[in-house]
Amino acid sequence: MKLSKTADLIIIGAGIVGCSIARELSRYSISVLVLEAGFDVGEGATKANSGIIHAGFDAIPGTKKALYNVKGAEMYPSLCKSLGVAYKQCGALVIALSEDDRRTIKALLNRGISNGVKGLEIIEKDEVLRLEPNINPDTVCALYAPTSAIVSPYEVAFALADDAACNGVEFLFNERVNNVSRNNEGYCITTDTTQYNCHSFINCSGTSGAKIHNMISDTKLFSINRRGQYYLLDKLKELPFSRTIFQCPSTMGKGVLVSPTIHGNTIIGPTAEDIADPDDKSTTKEGLADIVIKSRRIWPNAYFQNSITNFSGIRSHLESDDFIIGEIDNASGAFEVIGIESPGLTSAPAIAEDICNEIVNRFHLEHKKAIVQYKCPNRSFGEMSDIEREQAVISNKLNGNIICRCEMVTEAEIRAAINRPIKAKSIDAVKRRTRAGMGRCQGGFCTSRIMSIITEETGLSPVEITKSGGDSYLLMGDLTEFLRSTDNE
């Protein structure tokens, strides 16, 4: 028999959009529950994208993508400041390699101006090469977008979720939604273990968005699972590019790009592969080879010997080629934010603001009398000056114990990450909150020590700890059990 639980409103999905909406709604007198199929916040497209806050020149004027891209991009500087996460306005270039491409660049300029993007201009070859000496010398011209920026998408999502949790939103993980149906109170949402009853819900479930929509609506949607693979290169003293470099876009998206990351790596990708399985986040020989070939149109001397990892993510593409946002037709109280592919990261705070306002007005919600002020994480030890590090060790001696040498992550930082409002209970959950294991050795030296700290902080047995939830266990048993089993043979 399934357990039963009730909330005023349920958000399905804890990606960047779901977390943004949860934070907005946490300011009102309403009980909010977030159901996430994964083991942690941001397990879908949020953790596996380029991390770019797009300026807004690519989206077709008049679409929801255009509206929310530009509005969201303008919100990010103050949002990141309030959450204590890094934001860098590095700018972007879209390069033209032929006179035909120049026509595309001019069209993007006009599109961007129509969308309200500020500062756009076309610059010629000499200026492009002056700004980015490693760029393809065959470049004819480029669209320069100075307002383009970069963030760490999962760090933004963690901070949003923590803020929401501090203000009463409950997050539940490993809760994949199997069915949504109507009942006398509103809606019944069923997972493998529990039956959830709510007056209203918001479908922010990424690749499951169309599936859940079709459970409620007579107007059926079809979602395409589009996989994007990436290379992540090791940090260098001097990055090859200081800005995000795009090629001219195609019908499959913005194409393979080369960009700095907020933490000083270089990211290259993504591919655009339509696949059947929404959970197939594998990387392939063919996909990675495609990135190498296409990236050299931007960076002819690109080298991949210093690649430290490859990864992929799945974004949901709808046939309408636009976001679907709002209340589902003939389903009072059922809202959806689906088809959120690029520029979804950029658009998330603006989408959240609008959908929240719609719900507040619809249900006449009142502001809470008191909001818990979110406490931003401390600046990372690895980014501190020597004097700041000395003070950090004085204030907490565990900062003197470096667990991850590649990224200079301390024991104090790892313990703090495990005990954030949304707790980190896996190796990858700690990694994405602290960067421990994200450096050159990819956890080769620090994983065992991180496991020990998780055990100490959570009470989990070492054999219960996973890399990323599910069955990704790192240990099969202890030595005593092994020796006992061999004695019996």
Side-chain angles (χ1 to χ4, degrees):
M1 184 175 179
K2 290 183 181 292
L3 300 172
S4 181
K5 194 173 178 70
T6 300
D8 291 332
L9 183 142
I10 290 176
I11 298 171
I12 304 174
I16 188 70
V17 173
C19 291
S20 297
I21 295 171
R23 180 177 182 260
E24 288 287 329
L25 288 175
S26 72
R27 275 50 181 166
Y28 294 89
S29 297
I30 181 175
S31 62
V32 179
L33 183 64
V34 180
L35 301 180
E36 167 56 42
F39 191 72
D40 195 12
V41 167
E43 285 286 331
T46 299
K47 75 175 184 182
N49 68 68
S50 308
I52 295 164
I53 304 304
H54 293 286
F57 54 77
D58 187 60
I60 297 172
T63 62
K64 287 185 173 67
K65 286 183 178 181
L67 170 68
Y68 288 113
N69 184 339
V70 176
K71 186 178 177 182
E74 292 174 348
M75 295 171 71
Y76 257 92
S78 60
L79 175 66
C80 288
K81 184 177 181 180
S82 69
L83 295 173
V85 296
Y87 169 92
K88 183 177 182 181
Q89 188 175 313
C90 61
L93 295 171
V94 186
I95 63 170
L97 297 176
S98 67
E99 288 303 321
D100 283 343
D101 282 351
R102 182 188 286 273
R103 285 191 283 273
T104 302
I105 294 296
K106 287 182 178 179
L108 290 176
L109 172 65
N110 293 331
R111 187 180 291 182
I113 292 171
S114 296
N115 290 341
V117 182
K118 299 174 183 176
L120 291 176
E121 62 176 317
I122 294 176
I123 57 177
E124 297 302 319
K125 177 175 182 175
D126 289 347
E127 178 66 5
V128 174
L129 292 174
R130 186 188 69 80
L131 293 175
E132 298 290 355
N134 291 314
I135 215 161
N136 190 337
D138 292 334
T139 296
V140 174
C141 65
L143 176 66
Y144 178 41
T147 59
S148 182
I150 52 177
V151 297
S152 170
Y154 42 84
E155 289 179 12
V156 177
F158 293 143
L160 290 166
D162 283 346
D163 190 337
C166 287
N167 284 285
V169 175
E170 184 178 4
F171 286 76
L172 296 176
F173 300 98
N174 299 315
E175 290 283 33
R176 185 178 295 275
V177 171
N178 298 322
N179 189 55
V180 179
S181 60
R182 307 183 200 215
N183 60 23
N184 292 333
E185 299 299 320
Y187 295 91
C188 176
I189 298 174
T190 306
T191 68
D192 287 340
T193 62
T194 308
Q195 177 178 290
Y196 296 92
N197 297 298
C198 58
H199 298 302
S200 181
F201 75 90
I202 309 173
N203 173 14
C204 308
S205 57
T207 54
S208 296
K211 179 181 177 182
I212 291 175
H213 167 96
N214 293 342
M215 295 175 184
I216 292 295
S217 177
D218 292 332
T219 304
K220 303 306 179 185
L221 297 175
F222 177 73
S223 175
I224 298 169
N225 306 307
R226 188 159 288 171
R227 180 171 63 190
Q229 302 183 45
Y230 291 89
Y231 271 95
L232 187 69
L233 306 187
D234 197 4
K235 295 179 181 179
L236 298 172
K237 290 183 179 179
E238 185 175 346
L239 286 169
F241 299 98
S242 58
R243 297 163 185 81
T244 299
I245 313 297
F246 295 102
Q247 301 176 44
C248 283
S250 72
T251 56
M252 295 294 281
K254 299 178 178 68
V256 170
L257 59 87
V258 181
S259 179
T261 70
I262 199 69
H263 293 292
N265 299 89
T266 296
I267 191 169
I268 306 177
T271 57
E273 311 155 54
D274 293 347
I275 61 174
D277 184 358
D279 296 318
D280 183 3
K281 299 173 186 175
S282 58
T283 56
T284 65
K285 177 182 178 181
E286 295 77 15
L288 296 175
D290 187 49
I291 293 173
V292 171
I293 292 169
K294 290 180 178 177
S295 66
R296 285 183 171 146
R297 297 176 189 168
I298 292 174
W299 184 18
N301 296 322
Y303 49 90
F304 294 83
Q305 295 89 335
N306 66 334
S307 171
I308 57 174
T309 192
N310 303 113
F311 63 92
S312 75
I314 312 290
R315 62 252 198 203
S316 172
H317 177 76
L318 296 176
E319 290 177 312
S320 63
D321 197 29
D322 200 5
F323 301 154
I324 295 180
I325 299 169
E327 192 168 23
I328 301 173
D329 289 342
N330 301 316
S332 177
F335 297 85
E336 60 189 356
V337 181
I338 60 176
I340 308 300
E341 55 186 336
S342 182
L345 170 65
T346 311
S347 303
I351 292 171
E353 184 176 78
D354 274 10
I355 200 80
C356 179
N357 286 339
E358 185 175 352
I359 290 168
V360 167
N361 293 331
R362 173 70 178 278
F363 298 109
H364 309 290
L365 302 181
E366 295 183 355
H367 274 281
K368 288 180 178 176
K369 292 181 179 179
I371 300 297
V372 177
Q373 187 65 39
Y374 174 66
K375 184 179 179 181
C376 297
N378 294 327
R379 186 181 179 198
S380 71
F381 193 83
E383 296 174 344
M384 292 179 184
S385 67
D386 288 344
I387 294 175
E388 289 172 325
R389 288 174 182 170
E390 183 179 353
Q391 291 300 315
V393 173
I394 291 171
S395 64
N396 186 340
K397 65 180 181 181
L398 294 182
N399 277 316
N401 185 13
I402 304 297
I403 301 299
C404 173
R405 290 178 281 178
C406 297
E407 294 291 320
M408 291 286 286
V409 182
T410 72
E411 181 178 347
E413 291 177 300
I414 291 171
R415 292 186 185 275
I418 294 169
N419 290 293
R420 283 174 66 158
I422 304 295
K423 297 185 183 298
K425 297 181 180 179
S426 69
I427 297 298
D428 280 0
V430 170
K431 177 177 72 174
R432 288 194 291 274
R433 285 166 175 82
T434 67
R435 294 192 59 76
M438 279 199 174
R440 183 171 300 167
C441 82
Q442 288 289 290
F445 287 97
C446 61
T447 296
S448 60
R449 185 65 186 109
I450 294 170
M451 288 180 67
S452 297
I453 296 172
I454 294 174
T455 296
E456 292 166 13
E457 290 292 334
T458 65
L460 292 171
S461 162
V463 297
E464 295 178 289
I465 296 172
T466 64
K467 182 182 184 296
S468 56
D471 294 327
S472 61
Y473 297 103
L474 296 165
L475 299 175
M476 297 180 65
D478 60 34
L479 187 59
T480 303
E481 292 176 3
F482 173 74
L483 292 174
R484 187 181 295 120
S485 67
T486 56
D487 288 342
N488 293 333
E489 292 180 355

